[in-house]
Amino acid sequence: EKTVTVSLAVSYRKFVALSSVIRLAGRMVRREGRKLYLRGEILDGESGSVVHTFVDAIFVAVDAQAS
């Protein structure tokens, strides 16, 4: 499914040292018609419990034939 970005908001919570191991996680929170609401996080790779950054995004599905 082809989508375009409508909104992308990034919140930086805690710095990440250059030599750190991190884990990226993302999920779709909900869908309303053509709108997809997603959330992503950058987590500490050791414990997985410390959130360094999170992002909330809204995408809209578009007709692939129209582009």
Side-chain angles (χ1 to χ4, degrees):
E1 183 171 25
K2 189 173 183 179
T3 62
V4 294
T5 307
V6 173
S7 173
L8 185 67
V10 180
S11 295
Y12 300 98
R13 310 294 273 183
K14 187 174 180 182
F15 75 91
V16 177
L18 288 177
S19 61
S20 297
V21 175
I22 58 172
R23 182 171 59 118
L24 305 174
R27 65 189 175 282
M28 183 165 37
V29 176
R30 70 181 187 277
R31 182 172 186 154
E32 295 176 0
R34 295 187 314 135
K35 285 186 181 178
L36 292 85
Y37 296 82
L38 288 85
R39 167 157 278 206
E41 299 171 330
I42 297 177
L43 304 159
D44 176 69
E46 299 295 321
S47 69
S49 63
V50 177
V51 178
H52 292 279
T53 304
F54 67 87
V55 60
D56 289 304
I58 302 172
F59 295 88
V60 173
V62 295
D63 184 4
Q65 303 297 334
S67 56

